[in-house]
């Protein structure tokens, strides 16, 4: 245990954007102590070499990744690695008694075959994977509370599922009509240098990518199917927005009862999320801007109905790196530890 | 007639973004001479007071708007005014023999009742409005060639309809499943200062607006209905992108024949647009960036099918101020005059 | 006094960017209670009408501005009004015993004649103005602690003076060689809609403005002269950066002793600011990005020397709306109240 | 010779930003035919694989780089390679009779020792290098006309020198007081993926780099010294602006005669550049935006004086990839071939 009775926490993969959010957020968390920063490619550097703006606050070095040593020092381990790495390391950490929160796709799928098809890696850790819980607290809070291993959701699925859940859970829509047209800032692409994510390429431009084949599709469908009680296919299209942070998901679906108006749905959504401190349903006629959510763990949801077409349109905005990634992982940790769900998380961003 | 046998052209509403595009484009057009710039609010100023970067190229003043005087000087008049003004002026210009290209919504509707419902203005110019032709050359080239009054399409309808036309015309989709999720740079909002369009507000953010009630909806539906041969309702959702120029329309529809693959559709689209110099169908697997189209009159179209859901997804990118506005108006003028359709229009933007 | 013994605080001019920062920051401050939001133009609206993202957190209405009533309810009043308004209201508030922090230019000048020349308003409140202290805590902490009326610095002067102060105070440079080439995000222009601040105009562009005549010049010179012990003229040039928040000041000056190297100066700066929690001197060879400071009250300073030219170049980065405005005002309040200088202020922004 | 008597032109290094500008510009040039695109790393790909938006216009493949073969096919060769490569290839091309325009730093220095110090490469091509002319047509038009090998200027030097030249040439300033505070869009960093140029890193931020040691410094000083008639040192500081294209140079210098006012200087600048179609001097009180120049070969220059400090401040705006790179190279080619200096170059960008 850390000093002053704090829980000792480590981060594997600290140098990426997920890692630096975790570092930043955990520094403000009153119940944890950050005792380990790991990353093979950056091992030996100081964290400040990679993020100089933190030089006056973070003195720790990046250490090499040795699960045995990590487990000896950390009660909680966040894994913020590319897909396909966590599944080689988590079993050992779980076995040593660590609570593990994985930010990659490795532990998001209850059906590992789906994982293997979409991510192309054979899995040896079936027994451990079976115990993993999908870390979307608004839907799986109770299971998260009792789990030792969390597969934290992708950024797009978080925004998409929070928009779709009340509709599917309550049978308000025809599930197969669901379309998610999602838009993300470029930080979602990570910190590795790729030509398409250069400012010179991506700024002042807008485009779709991964149309009809993005890997977040099966993740969205898994939860939608769980909510609907039968298998659901969802049309999911991601786009790149010339901005740093934020996701907006625009969700379309045909209402079973075209007589429902937006005020009805706002009431239903507010009831559905009444115990969820991180979901805010906008007033009638208000649609969220991604910027509202940036720098906070909030998800803003706006709702509209179109009586002409019988559809509902739901708009869901999050900060892709906080509620869509690191903040949500800490929200899960709070629940696992029995702490207040909102402990140590930023309640509001700055505007403008 | 202008000097060297050029056609004399005037612009009413020269100080807005539509106006400055027209000025810029017409300066490069080999067959016209710009003889009149008008605008009541800016009358008396020089054009360079409003756009200093043109001071060394445009010496003309902004003059007050007197239709009689305009008709005496101009064979062709572009009207680039807020909605509801052109319909008070065009009849007089048409009557005097001018060719008129209106960039507002006033002459886009064959059914004036639709206009009156959505734009809230009673119309006195029914006889003239009946003669107006919708200025989307890829669909109505022949009628444009014979018309004296063109209602130039809105920016969103241009991108949306070029994406939808082959599907509807050839009966490839279930029309009522059509959803247009459209995204625009903020120049589409014009040059009037509005808080929501300030860089401080709109930059690094993304949001929808006018959900289920944007005025471009009936315009899209009018042409879709014409193409389908029966009334079609379209779900249209505009969004604001933190960039200056460009529109991407992401169009979803359920295929009648789910066996169609994207290569089939690419072939169909290329055939449909084979005589259209301003429409480019992307190769298989390529989705357009808005930046590709910026600074040109091009529309880039990318096509994808999803065999899992039976849908087609079409991505259509234009420069909202050129192909979506001023460039398309000049394309119409070229057709009206019997000139080459691509005369004087920019064939390629700069990248990046 | 507010509930739980908190200090009751009011904001006049709550609807602008300064106001919304104050609201956001004061909500997190453990020792104050926000009891009044005022603004004549928005009076009667709820704050959430203006900033919908705060609807779930701020229930207060915007009230009309009545100094008598404000003084009865508030121990502390922040004035966030256009230049020339605070000087009409502050005397009354001061007289009633309120602590007043003015974010405008009205109380920044020890010589009111300078104010009158640059701001064009005759002043009737000379007695009160004399008591005002310039609210730059790193230079005037002791005087702030004892004052009842603070003229909070402009955003550009904050960045510029923190860069220049050690050089001038210690006589390291030839004062008249000082040049400040400053760059600001567009939020510095406020929330009023102005054409030049539209995203369509300002994005993807960069320009200077107010060259050789910006009103922050005399404010910078007043403090520089105070530090140097004689009158100093400073060349100050502001530029508009296509970004929302942040200021970078690039400061040039000729060293009196060209033998000084950057490590010497880093040592001097660190000593100068050793008791200043909000100033961070970068390590050798590191130049700050504005983004590092955004969302925090920090000022990052990077230092370089050029042995070829004998000049020092200092780079100073702040969030123009926090350390450059609302955060600094709260820093001053903390000092006035005898609280920890960093109480309730954001210690780090998010990156990227 | 190319078809229709056009001059056959090749580009080595076609896949970078310099290359794609050349391709785009040369396609519009009425006197040349682009017969060769080369690049070792991309050899074998089609140009459209790299720039899909050009797929419908450029069918050519990228070929491997064989100087012998290039010389056999091309009368003119543009070299758009990283620094240090052109000097290995140009001698052979020159020897075979090609006109060579090098966009790298290799042929910019009359004193190769300076090159070797700043660029760290020993040169074997001294005889050829001696014949190279610095390709800034506004200063060296006559020498360019007679040369076979042009070292095209860097982007920063172009903006800086056009601002400084009249002042130095006419002895109006104290040369050693010259400071160039320059700001560039990120496309100046090229198309290689670097972390610092990612949109997620560079957007909504602003910072200096290479302070007191950027490689464009000696290039600026070489020409300044030539103009002044004695050795001049210039303080040069580059900054990265969160935008794609454009450079603004803010130039400070102390006037020898502090009585000169800006109207005097505007008159002097207009006279100095009276035969220069690509330099536009702004009217009094107008400062250029970089956006004005983007998409054109123009340089806009704004001038201010500060009677308080005795300084002149000159603001110079260009498109870094056109007047700062590819456009200027074509301007040089026009001069070398005896064509009109403005042939085939874009006269105006689009606004906004």
């Amino acid at each position: 245990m850390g000093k002053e009775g704090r829980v000792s926490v480590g981060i594997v993969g600290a140098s990426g954007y997920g890692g630096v959010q975790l570092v930043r957020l955990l520094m403000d968390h009153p119940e944890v102590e950050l005792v380990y920063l790991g990353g093979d490619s950056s091992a030996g550097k100081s964290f400040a070499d990679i993020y100089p703006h933190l030089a006056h606050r973070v003195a720790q070095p990046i250490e090499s990744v040795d699960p045995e040593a990590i487990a000896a020092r950390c009660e909680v381990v966040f894994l913020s690695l590319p897909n396909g790495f966590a599944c080689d390391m988590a079993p050992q950490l779980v076995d040593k008694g660590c609570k593990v929160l994985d930010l990659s796709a490795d532990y998001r799928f209850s059906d590992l075959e789906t994982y293997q098809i979409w991510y192309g890696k054979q899995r040896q850790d079936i027994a451990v994977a079976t115990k993993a819980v999908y870390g979307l607290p608004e839907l799986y809070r109770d299971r998260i509370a009792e789990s030792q291993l969390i597969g934290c959701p992708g950024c797009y699925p978080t925004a998409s599922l929070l928009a779709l859940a009340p509709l599917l859970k309550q049978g308000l829509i025809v599930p197969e009509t669901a379309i998610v047209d999602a838009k993300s800032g470029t930080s979602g692409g990570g910190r590795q240098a790729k030509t398409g994510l250069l400012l010179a390429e991506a700024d002042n431009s807008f485009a779709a990518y991964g149309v009809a084949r993005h890997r977040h599709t099966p993740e969205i469908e898994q939860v939608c199917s769980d909510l609907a009680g039968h298998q659901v296919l969802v049309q999911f299209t991601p786009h790149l927005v010339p901005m740093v942070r934020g996701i907006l998901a625009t969700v379309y679906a045909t209402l079973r009862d075209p007589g429902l108006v937006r005020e009805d749905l706002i009431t239903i959504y507010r009831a559905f999320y009444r115990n969820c401190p991180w979901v805010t349903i906008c007033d009638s006629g208000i649609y969220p801007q991604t910027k509202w959510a940036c720098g906070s763990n909030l998800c803003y949801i706006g709702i509209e109905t179109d009586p002409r077409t019988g559809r509902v349109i739901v708009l869901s905005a999050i900060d892709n790196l906080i509620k869509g990634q690191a903040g949500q992982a800490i929200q899960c940790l709070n629940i696992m530890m029995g702490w207040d769900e909102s402990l140590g998380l930023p309640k509001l961003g700055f505007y403008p």
Side-chain angles (χ1 to χ4, degrees), chain A:
Chain A
M1 192 171 290
K3 64 184 166 192
E4 299 170 23
R6 290 187 174 209
V7 171
S8 56
V9 171
I11 301 168
V12 183
S15 63
Y17 287 151
V20 73
Q21 306 310 305
L22 286 169
V23 169
R24 167 67 182 76
L25 289 167
L26 293 171
M27 284 168 64
D28 278 358
H29 196 292
E31 297 289 348
V32 308
E33 188 193 352
L34 192 51
V35 300
Y36 167 81
L37 298 177
D40 276 333
S41 65
S42 311
K45 292 188 185 174
S46 84
F47 195 67
D49 289 338
I50 302 174
Y51 293 106
H53 69 294
L54 295 175
H56 65 302
R57 296 292 304 280
V58 182
Q60 275 162 296
I62 313 263
E63 302 179 54
S64 63
V65 179
D66 170 358
E68 193 94 14
I70 295 168
R73 286 161 62 187
C74 304
E75 294 167 73
V76 174
V77 183
F78 291 90
L79 302 178
S80 184
L81 296 165
N83 299 318
F85 285 82
C87 59
D88 292 338
M89 193 182 314
Q92 213 175 333
L93 295 168
V94 167
D95 191 52
K96 298 275 180 187
C98 295
K99 292 186 198 300
V100 176
L101 298 109
D102 176 30
L103 277 62
S104 83
D106 287 13
Y107 292 103
R108 294 176 188 161
F109 292 90
S110 54
D111 177 2
L112 279 188
E113 212 172 314
T114 305
Y115 174 87
Q116 286 167 183
I117 290 168
W118 287 80
Y119 289 87
K121 167 150 182 165
Q122 289 302 310
R123 295 286 290 271
Q124 314 301 330
D125 58 328
I126 299 174
V128 169
T130 308
K131 295 188 211 157
V133 170
Y134 189 71
L136 191 57
E138 286 74 14
L139 300 183
Y140 302 110
R141 189 176 284 110
D142 294 346
R143 296 187 53 204
I144 292 166
E146 293 169 10
S147 179
Q148 195 191 341
L149 172 59
I150 305 294
C152 296
C155 50
Y156 284 125
T158 296
S160 306
L161 292 169
L162 292 176
L164 277 165
L167 300 173
L168 286 165
K169 184 73 179 176
Q170 317 226 347
L172 301 174
I173 58 167
V174 183
E176 59 266 30
T177 63
I179 293 177
V180 178
D181 190 281
K183 301 89 175 174
S184 174
T186 68
S187 64
R191 207 190 195 199
Q192 292 94 321
K194 296 171 200 154
T195 301
L197 299 179
L198 289 174
L199 189 146
E201 300 279 319
D203 192 36
N204 245 23
S205 200
F206 187 89
Y209 66 100
V211 183
R213 53 180 54 79
H214 191 277
R215 287 169 166 184
H216 282 172
T217 308
E219 188 183 331
I220 295 170
E221 290 176 346
Q222 167 181 280
V223 179
C224 285
S225 301
D226 184 26
L227 290 163
H230 59 86
Q231 210 206 336
V232 174
L233 294 185
V234 172
Q235 192 74 53
F236 171 68
T237 312
H239 299 75
L240 209 57
V241 185
M243 64 183 185
V244 178
R245 300 167 85 109
I247 283 181
L248 188 85
T250 307
V251 175
Y252 300 89
T254 298
L255 288 166
R256 285 198 200 278
D257 173 1
L260 283 176
V261 296
R262 69 181 181 195
E263 284 73 18
D264 299 329
L265 289 166
I266 288 172
T267 302
I268 290 167
Y269 271 68
R270 286 189 170 152
F272 189 89
Y273 288 119
R274 67 186 170 281
N275 296 319
C276 296
W278 295 116
V279 177
T280 296
I281 310 302
C282 297
D283 288 342
S284 189
I286 304 291
Y287 316 130
Q289 285 192 32
T290 58
K291 199 193 289 191
W292 295 357
C294 281
S296 84
N297 198 49
L298 286 169
C299 175
Y300 285 90
I301 293 179
I303 301 164
E304 191 55 80
T305 51
D306 189 341
R308 297 168 66 258
T309 63
R311 288 200 191 87
V312 58
I313 302 106
V314 186
L315 302 138
S316 165
I318 60 168
D319 183 326
N320 59 311
L321 299 178
I322 302 189
K323 181 61 179 167
Q325 191 182 41
Q328 184 150 266
I330 293 171
Q331 186 183 352
C332 287
L333 175 64
N334 286 341
I335 293 167
M336 294 165 88
M337 301 300 295
W339 299 330
D340 184 297
E341 188 171 333
S342 59
L343 198 69
L345 288 167
K347 290 188 178 51
L348 274 181
F350 284 95
Y351 188 90

